[in-house]
Amino acid sequence: MRGGHRPRGAIACVACAGVEIGYFPLAQVGLLPVQGVSGAATVMFALALVGCAAHLWAVPARAHLSGAAAIVLGVLSYPFANLGGFLLGMLLALVGGALALAWRPPPAQAAGSGG
């Protein structure tokens, strides 16, 4: 699969997954201590997914690493982070990770070819 200079669809899906998973625990920050370890784990999963999206944007040549990490985080978010953000965040992470794994950087143009 060939794409542009960055895997924009994968970046959007993974970033939205992080935002969706982290939205409910952070909607009322005052209740975060009440949520305990589960709330902290959810926030960590959300930050890690947003970090994967940032890595996809900054280093698109290594999209396979961020894609694999997004898939692992999406699967692990199911039992640890409110059913993966009520399944929507998990599905977004899985789709974004799969898109990142399928994306390939454009081939470098041959120097001196005038075609």
mmCIF file of all heavy atoms in Angstrom, residues 1 10 14 67-68 70-71 92-103:
data_model
loop_
_atom_site.group_PDB
_atom_site.id
_atom_site.type_symbol
_atom_site.label_atom_id
_atom_site.label_comp_id
_atom_site.label_asym_id
_atom_site.label_seq_id
_atom_site.Cartn_x
_atom_site.Cartn_y
_atom_site.Cartn_z
ATOM 1 N N MET A 1 0.848 -1.172 0.000
ATOM 2 C CA MET A 1 0.000 0.000 0.000
ATOM 3 C C MET A 1 0.892 1.233 0.000
ATOM 4 O O MET A 1 1.778 1.371 0.818
ATOM 5 C CB MET A 1 -0.887 -0.031 1.239
ATOM 6 C CG MET A 1 -1.804 1.111 1.343
ATOM 7 S SD MET A 1 -2.882 0.843 2.765
ATOM 8 C CE MET A 1 -3.674 2.392 2.799
ATOM 9 N N ALA A 10 -3.850 6.788 9.847
ATOM 10 C CA ALA A 10 -3.408 6.083 11.047
ATOM 11 C C ALA A 10 -3.198 7.060 12.197
ATOM 12 O O ALA A 10 -3.577 6.775 13.343
ATOM 13 C CB ALA A 10 -2.123 5.316 10.762
ATOM 14 N N VAL A 14 -5.346 6.749 15.708
ATOM 15 C CA VAL A 14 -4.642 6.488 16.965
ATOM 16 C C VAL A 14 -4.805 7.673 17.922
ATOM 17 O O VAL A 14 -5.028 7.484 19.123
ATOM 18 C CB VAL A 14 -3.159 6.163 16.703
ATOM 19 C CG1 VAL A 14 -2.376 6.059 18.002
ATOM 20 C CG2 VAL A 14 -3.030 4.873 15.914
ATOM 21 N N GLY A 67 2.620 1.467 14.965
ATOM 22 C CA GLY A 67 1.421 0.702 14.638
ATOM 23 C C GLY A 67 1.285 -0.533 15.508
ATOM 24 O O GLY A 67 0.206 -0.829 16.032
ATOM 25 N N ALA A 68 2.381 -1.247 15.695
ATOM 26 C CA ALA A 68 2.353 -2.435 16.552
ATOM 27 C C ALA A 68 2.071 -2.041 18.000
ATOM 28 O O ALA A 68 1.291 -2.713 18.697
ATOM 29 C CB ALA A 68 3.671 -3.185 16.449
ATOM 30 N N ALA A 70 0.383 0.588 19.002
ATOM 31 C CA ALA A 70 -1.019 1.002 19.091
ATOM 32 C C ALA A 70 -1.942 -0.208 19.155
ATOM 33 O O ALA A 70 -2.928 -0.212 19.902
ATOM 34 C CB ALA A 70 -1.380 1.891 17.912
ATOM 35 N N ILE A 71 -1.625 -1.250 18.402
ATOM 36 C CA ILE A 71 -2.449 -2.462 18.442
ATOM 37 C C ILE A 71 -2.350 -3.125 19.816
ATOM 38 O O ILE A 71 -3.364 -3.523 20.405
ATOM 39 C CB ILE A 71 -2.043 -3.423 17.310
ATOM 40 C CG1 ILE A 71 -2.484 -2.848 15.967
ATOM 41 C CG2 ILE A 71 -2.644 -4.812 17.524
ATOM 42 C CD1 ILE A 71 -2.022 -3.633 14.773
ATOM 43 N N LEU A 92 -10.704 2.044 17.471
ATOM 44 C CA LEU A 92 -9.923 3.080 16.791
ATOM 45 C C LEU A 92 -8.427 2.791 16.860
ATOM 46 O O LEU A 92 -7.701 2.980 15.882
ATOM 47 C CB LEU A 92 -10.218 4.453 17.397
ATOM 48 C CG LEU A 92 -11.520 5.113 16.979
ATOM 49 C CD1 LEU A 92 -11.805 6.329 17.846
ATOM 50 C CD2 LEU A 92 -11.482 5.492 15.516
ATOM 51 N N ALA A 93 -7.962 2.307 18.010
ATOM 52 C CA ALA A 93 -6.545 1.974 18.149
ATOM 53 C C ALA A 93 -6.170 0.805 17.244
ATOM 54 O O ALA A 93 -5.105 0.805 16.617
ATOM 55 C CB ALA A 93 -6.212 1.647 19.606
ATOM 56 N N LEU A 94 -7.036 -0.197 17.147
ATOM 57 C CA LEU A 94 -6.751 -1.348 16.295
ATOM 58 C C LEU A 94 -6.737 -0.955 14.819
ATOM 59 O O LEU A 94 -5.855 -1.372 14.052
ATOM 60 C CB LEU A 94 -7.771 -2.458 16.544
ATOM 61 C CG LEU A 94 -7.720 -3.111 17.922
ATOM 62 C CD1 LEU A 94 -8.825 -4.146 18.058
ATOM 63 C CD2 LEU A 94 -6.373 -3.718 18.191
ATOM 64 N N VAL A 95 -7.704 -0.143 14.399
ATOM 65 C CA VAL A 95 -7.746 0.294 13.003
ATOM 66 C C VAL A 95 -6.557 1.195 12.685
ATOM 67 O O VAL A 95 -5.904 1.038 11.646
ATOM 68 C CB VAL A 95 -9.085 1.010 12.704
ATOM 69 C CG1 VAL A 95 -9.055 1.716 11.363
ATOM 70 C CG2 VAL A 95 -10.229 0.010 12.741
ATOM 71 N N GLY A 96 -6.251 2.134 13.577
ATOM 72 C CA GLY A 96 -5.108 3.017 13.356
ATOM 73 C C GLY A 96 -3.792 2.260 13.320
ATOM 74 O O GLY A 96 -2.920 2.530 12.497
ATOM 75 N N GLY A 97 -3.645 1.280 14.209
ATOM 76 C CA GLY A 97 -2.429 0.466 14.202
ATOM 77 C C GLY A 97 -2.304 -0.355 12.934
ATOM 78 O O GLY A 97 -1.215 -0.486 12.367
ATOM 79 N N ALA A 98 -3.419 -0.911 12.472
ATOM 80 C CA ALA A 98 -3.390 -1.686 11.228
ATOM 81 C C ALA A 98 -3.062 -0.789 10.036
ATOM 82 O O ALA A 98 -2.305 -1.185 9.138
ATOM 83 C CB ALA A 98 -4.721 -2.383 11.017
ATOM 84 N N LEU A 99 -3.608 0.410 10.019
ATOM 85 C CA LEU A 99 -3.281 1.348 8.935
ATOM 86 C C LEU A 99 -1.803 1.729 8.967
ATOM 87 O O LEU A 99 -1.166 1.865 7.920
ATOM 88 C CB LEU A 99 -4.144 2.607 9.037
ATOM 89 C CG LEU A 99 -5.603 2.466 8.638
ATOM 90 C CD1 LEU A 99 -6.368 3.749 8.963
ATOM 91 C CD2 LEU A 99 -5.724 2.133 7.163
ATOM 92 N N ALA A 100 -1.263 1.903 10.162
ATOM 93 C CA ALA A 100 0.161 2.243 10.280
ATOM 94 C C ALA A 100 1.038 1.087 9.818
ATOM 95 O O ALA A 100 2.072 1.300 9.176
ATOM 96 C CB ALA A 100 0.501 2.626 11.716
ATOM 97 N N LEU A 101 0.641 -0.137 10.141
ATOM 98 C CA LEU A 101 1.421 -1.292 9.695
ATOM 99 C C LEU A 101 1.353 -1.463 8.179
ATOM 100 O O LEU A 101 2.316 -1.921 7.566
ATOM 101 C CB LEU A 101 0.926 -2.564 10.386
ATOM 102 C CG LEU A 101 1.315 -2.716 11.843
ATOM 103 C CD1 LEU A 101 0.664 -3.956 12.431
ATOM 104 C CD2 LEU A 101 2.811 -2.779 12.012
ATOM 105 N N ALA A 102 0.231 -1.109 7.583
ATOM 106 C CA ALA A 102 0.070 -1.279 6.138
ATOM 107 C C ALA A 102 0.707 -0.150 5.335
ATOM 108 O O ALA A 102 0.990 -0.322 4.147
ATOM 109 C CB ALA A 102 -1.414 -1.356 5.786
ATOM 110 N N TRP A 103 0.959 0.992 5.963
ATOM 111 C CA TRP A 103 1.494 2.150 5.247
ATOM 112 C C TRP A 103 2.971 1.945 4.934
ATOM 113 O O TRP A 103 3.735 1.427 5.735
ATOM 114 C CB TRP A 103 1.314 3.404 6.107
ATOM 115 C CG TRP A 103 1.800 4.648 5.447
ATOM 116 C CD1 TRP A 103 1.147 5.399 4.537
ATOM 117 C CD2 TRP A 103 3.067 5.284 5.657
ATOM 118 N NE1 TRP A 103 1.917 6.465 4.172
ATOM 119 C CE2 TRP A 103 3.107 6.413 4.829
ATOM 120 C CE3 TRP A 103 4.161 4.993 6.449
ATOM 121 C CZ2 TRP A 103 4.192 7.268 4.794
ATOM 122 C CZ3 TRP A 103 5.243 5.838 6.407
ATOM 123 C CH2 TRP A 103 5.255 6.959 5.584
#
